[in-house]
Amino acid sequence: MQSKASTYLVKILLGGISVIIAEFLLPGIHLDGVVTGFILAAVIILINMSLKPLFIILTLPLTVITFGLFLLVVNALVILACDWLIEGFVVNGFWWALLFALVLSILNSLFGNSLDPVDQ
């Protein structure tokens, strides 16, 4: 059985790799360096632990009406919040944040990683 600390460390490492790959694929996303990618993954995990559940509850009617697609908008808002919080991470607008969130979700799925804090 893994400890929670090692589980979070693995999530940050795999998430950081996903962030770096997504940044390489998308010209509207800019990182200053590799370390910034890992910091971004850690901040996304922290936001997903603290604020994202509140965002999901507040946007539940829109999420139900759009069959869950509005969660991509919530993820894009998390990415834009990270743009505001992390120096060295730049997103060139909402649509790039939305595309980055989508690519990041796909890459994390391929790696078998989730940047959500809850393990199942």
Side-chain angles (χ1 to χ4, degrees), residues 2 6 8 12 16-18 24-25 27 31 34-35 55 58 66 74 87 89-91 94 96 98-99 107 111:
Q2 283 183 318
S6 64
Y8 284 120
I12 291 171
I17 292 168
S18 297
F24 177 75
L25 295 173
L31 289 173
V34 174
V35 174
F55 291 155
L58 291 175
T66 61
V74 172
E87 189 151 337
F89 173 61
V90 178
V91 179
F94 173 78
W96 284 111
L98 187 69
L99 189 58
L107 289 171
F111 288 148

Side-chain angles (χ1 to χ4, degrees), residues 5 9 11 21 43 49 53 70 76 84 87 112 115:
L9 185 59
K11 283 181 174 292
I21 293 171
V43 170
M49 282 178 17
F70 194 75
W84 182 72
E87 189 151 337
L115 292 182

Side-chain angles (χ1 to χ4, degrees), residues 43-44 46-64 70-82 85:
V43 170
I44 290 172
L46 287 173
I47 290 174
N48 284 347
M49 282 178 17
S50 57
L51 297 176
K52 191 172 177 184
L54 179 64
F55 291 155
I56 291 172
I57 290 171
L58 291 175
T59 61
L60 190 59
L62 283 173
T63 303
V64 170
F70 194 75
L71 289 176
L72 283 174
V73 174
V74 172
N75 288 341
L77 293 174
V78 168
I79 298 300
L80 289 173
C82 290
L85 289 172

